Amino acid sequence: MISLNSYIAVDWGTTNRRAYRIGPDGRNEAEFEDGKGILSLSDGGFAAAVGEIRERLGDLPLLMAGMIGSNRGWKEAPYVPCPAGLDEIAAALVWPEPDRSAIVPGASFVDDDRADVMRGEEVQLLGAVAAGLIGADALACHPGTHNKWVRLAGGRIAEFRTVMTGELFNLLKEKSILAELLHDKAEPDAAFRAGVRQGLKGEALTADLFSARARVLLGRLDRADASSWVSGLLIGGDVRTGTAGASGEVAVMGRPELTALYAAALDEAGFACREVDGEQAFLAGIAEIARRLS
Amino acid sequence: MISLNSYIAVDWGTTNRRAYRIGPDGRNEAEFEDGKGILSLSDGGFAAAVGEIRERLGDLPLLMAGMIGSNRGWKEAPYVPCPAGLDEIAAALVWPEPDRSAIVPGASFVDDDRADVMRGEEVQLLGAVAAGLIGADALACHPGTHNKWVRLAGGRIAEFRTVMTGELFNLLKEKSILAELLHDKAEPDAAFRAGVRQGLKGEALTADLFSARARVLLGRLDRADASSWVSGLLIGGDVRTGTAGASGEVAVMGRPELTALYAAALDEAGFACREVDGEQAFLAGIAEIARRLS
């Protein structure tokens, strides 16, 4: 084992990466973000991209999480099956440079009916529990291109489900019969909440989506409200899936404009929303993993 | 009223048009199809495009159906609300050239919760009833980019719902995290039927879609089967919506490769499938409308 007294934590995703120098006292001393996500790098480019991080933040060990451990990343880190806690994840690090740089594995969930994977969110979720930002048995929601709904039990990830809400909204916006209706930014307004109520019913999404166009053509929905209504429809269906069987409070971590939409949708569904700072949660999770290596 | 003794019937859609010369005995004497759908024509281009049809098939009155009557077509033909039968539709023709060319209106359905529109399918559906191809109280399915589920009652369109199944499959195939898995053609095979069974459960489509990728990553689904599984998932959800509360037989009219997929999905859901020739149904519907003008 190496001593991770001082180290660099990297949240390395598909399109971006964010790196932090963590000092001996656990403080975040310096950081930067850029667009060098894994898709911008070729197979041989990872060592150079890591060298660049060390040039900027210091010649320190690296602890990395996210898509950097996928089959398109630097070195594949096999998924840790649920229930997955910090101990299981710290024990399964993959080392592209022995004793110098480690990749945190993602988590997988499989049962008779379902199969799902995550990479990166596990550090934030388990970090949020460790830092007391959410309870050890919380229901958490992690909005983004691929929203994750995660049930934590005893401080470990017990079960989760990925929903392609953000990606589907973007696809519809870029290129579909609804594209011309989806220019405006979705806001957590009355039209959004009306869409949420429709989505919460759990009728067929592909039918409800087409109805947005019909509603506008027949004067039942203002064109200017279509974006919010469709966003509400998608997020309402997402919340219906994610909160099935749950009650009380949901922890939400994500970008503020997305968190506001999910908070409004959760409110419509009768849930309280606790907003969690994703960066703080990530650094807490990485610190817990580093502690387990010392 | 004009006498539509001989006339030209045109099924004029978004990307294609098909025109038929119908003789005094009701026989289809000549026809052609080309890519001059409404999206390929500018506002001023419709008269010329109609002139071209007459050059090829004769200087006859035109009876047109489909997107030619939309707000991007030659002249907008307002939707006829359900219940819509041949009488209501024939009474609401719009005439871009007085006594010379008429456009068949589409149909709309609105209730407290829903709003929906169709253009073109109404002629086929009502024509199929008139020709005895389907019963006066049938449940019909019209697969395509936008699949329509239609409940007929007393020979009129009582209710319908559009499902964006085909369009969503194409969007996912062209540009999504699933794109690389969806190269193969979907076939009505065992993987397709497994997808159908998942879709029939009515769980969140956006979650089930992401699971296709996870299933492949975790070795639960063969990469070569992903296209069929995802197609089955989408069509299964579609069939679940469309057949809710129904039993027995469903009439399906569409392209043979699509009809085969819907027939397999209906079989999984416990329904019999009656395949109907869409062209025959269209010509029967147009003939019924022409008869009402004489």
Side-chain angles (χ1 to χ4, degrees):
Chain A
M1 285 294 158
I2 59 162
S3 159
L4 287 186
N5 198 11
S6 290
Y7 61 94
I8 297 170
V10 191
D11 186 359
W12 207 322
T14 306
T15 51
N16 290 291
R17 65 176 177 180
R18 193 178 287 215
Y20 309 83
R21 186 175 70 229
I22 308 298
D25 56 356
R27 226 161 37 85
N28 171 16
E29 297 176 337
E31 66 182 81
F32 73 90
E33 182 176 5
D34 66 20
K36 297 213 170 146
I38 63 155
L39 288 188
S40 72
L41 296 166
S42 60
D43 260 1
F46 289 102
V50 161
E52 203 181 57
I53 292 175
R54 289 203 174 101
E55 266 171 42
R56 294 181 66 164
L57 296 180
D59 190 21
L60 293 165
L62 257 71
L63 202 42
M64 296 164 279
M67 292 300 281
I68 188 71
S70 73
N71 56 4
R72 295 159 97 169
W74 190 7
K75 184 163 182 171
E76 190 166 355
Y79 298 105
V80 173
C82 284
L86 285 163
D87 290 340
E88 290 81 7
I89 282 175
L93 296 192
V94 161
W95 297 83
E97 297 174 321
D99 294 346
R100 281 288 285 167
S101 59
I103 296 177
V104 178
S108 62
F109 175 77
V110 177
D111 71 5
D112 285 349
D113 267 359
R114 282 162 47 200
D116 216 324
V117 293
M118 66 163 64
R119 277 199 192 275
E121 294 92 345
E122 67 291 336
V123 175
Q124 289 188 32
L125 288 158
L126 298 171
V129 175
L133 302 173
I134 63 177
D137 301 289
L139 174 63
C141 164
H142 205 292
T145 309
H146 299 143
N147 184 26
K148 307 277 180 190
W149 288 93
V150 186
R151 195 168 59 75
L152 293 153
R156 298 198 295 173
I157 298 172
E159 193 181 343
F160 64 94
R161 174 171 277 201
T162 306
V163 193
M164 286 179 56
T165 306
E167 176 165 8
L168 186 57
F169 189 68
N170 290 335
L171 284 174
L172 293 168
K173 204 168 161 171
E174 280 175 34
K175 189 175 179 175
S176 79
I177 193 163
L178 302 180
E180 54 154 354
L181 295 176
L182 302 179
H183 290 157
D184 300 310
K185 200 167 164 298
E187 302 285 355
D189 53 15
F192 175 84
R193 284 178 177 256
V196 168
R197 287 191 296 275
Q198 183 62 30
L200 286 171
K201 289 183 191 166
E203 299 185 12
L205 178 63
T206 39
D208 281 339
L209 281 172
F210 185 83
S211 87
R213 178 165 176 276
R215 281 166 207 264
V216 171
L217 286 174
L218 300 173
R220 306 264 298 214
L221 176 65
D222 271 0
R223 184 170 283 269
D225 286 334
S227 212
S228 291
W229 191 87
V230 170
S231 171
L233 177 70
L234 287 167
I235 292 178
D238 185 337
V239 164
R240 179 174 185 272
T241 306
T243 59
S247 62
E249 188 185 72
V250 177
V252 181
M253 52 187 97
R255 287 183 290 118
E257 69 272 26
L258 265 181
T259 308
L261 295 175
Y262 277 80
L266 284 164
D267 182 53
E268 280 293 329
F271 287 84
C273 168
R274 177 196 291 218
E275 298 189 31
V276 175
D277 181 326
E279 185 173 59
Q280 188 187 351
F282 174 76
L283 291 175
I286 286 287
E288 286 294 322
I289 293 167
R291 202 168 58 75
R292 281 167 172 75
L293 300 179
S294 304
Chain B
M1 285 293 157
I2 59 162
S3 161
L4 287 186
N5 199 10
S6 290
Y7 61 95
I8 297 169
V10 191
D11 186 359
W12 205 323
T14 306
T15 49
N16 291 290
R17 65 177 177 179
R18 192 178 287 215
Y20 310 84
R21 185 175 71 228
I22 308 299
D25 55 355
R27 225 161 38 84
N28 171 17
E29 298 176 338
E31 65 182 82
F32 73 89
E33 183 175 6
D34 65 20
K36 296 214 172 145
I38 63 155
L39 288 188
S40 72
L41 296 167
S42 59
D43 260 0
F46 288 103
V50 162
E52 202 182 59
I53 292 175
R54 290 203 174 101
E55 266 171 43
R56 294 183 66 165
L57 296 181
D59 190 21
L60 293 165
L62 256 72
L63 202 42
M64 296 164 279
M67 292 300 282
I68 189 71
S70 74
N71 56 5
R72 294 158 99 169
W74 191 9
K75 185 163 182 172
E76 190 166 354
Y79 298 106
V80 172
C82 284
L86 286 163
D87 290 338
E88 290 82 5
I89 281 174
L93 295 192
V94 161
W95 296 83
E97 297 174 321
D99 294 345
R100 281 287 287 166
S101 58
I103 296 177
V104 178
S108 63
F109 175 77
V110 176
D111 71 4
D112 286 349
D113 266 0
R114 283 162 46 200
D116 216 325
V117 292
M118 65 164 62
R119 276 199 192 275
E121 295 91 347
E122 69 289 336
V123 175
Q124 289 188 32
L125 289 158
L126 297 171
V129 176
L133 302 173
I134 62 178
D137 301 289
L139 175 62
C141 165
H142 204 293
T145 307
H146 299 143
N147 184 26
K148 308 276 180 192
W149 287 93
V150 185
R151 194 168 60 76
L152 293 153
R156 297 199 295 172
I157 298 173
E159 194 181 343
F160 64 93
R161 174 170 278 200
T162 305
V163 193
M164 286 178 57
T165 306
E167 175 164 7
L168 186 57
F169 188 68
N170 290 336
L171 284 173
L172 293 168
K173 204 167 160 168
E174 281 175 32
K175 189 176 178 174
S176 81
I177 193 163
L178 302 180
E180 54 154 352
L181 295 176
L182 302 179
H183 290 158
D184 300 309
K185 200 167 164 297
E187 302 284 355
D189 54 14
F192 175 83
R193 284 178 177 254
V196 169
R197 287 192 295 274
Q198 182 62 29
L200 285 171
K201 290 183 190 164
E203 298 185 12
L205 177 62
T206 41
D208 281 340
L209 281 172
F210 186 83
S211 87
R213 179 166 176 275
R215 282 166 206 263
V216 171
L217 286 173
L218 300 173
R220 307 265 298 214
L221 175 65
D222 271 1
R223 185 169 282 268
D225 286 335
S227 213
S228 291
W229 191 88
V230 170
S231 171
L233 177 70
L234 287 167
I235 292 177
D238 186 336
V239 163
R240 179 174 184 272
T241 305
T243 59
S247 61
E249 187 185 73
V250 177
V252 181
M253 51 187 98
R255 286 183 290 119
E257 68 272 26
L258 265 181
T259 308
L261 295 174
Y262 277 80
L266 283 164
D267 182 53
E268 280 293 329
F271 287 84
C273 169
R274 177 197 291 218
E275 299 189 30
V276 175
D277 180 325
E279 185 173 59
Q280 187 186 354
F282 175 76
L283 291 175
I286 286 286
E288 285 294 323
I289 294 169
R291 200 168 59 78
R292 281 168 173 74
L293 300 178
S294 306

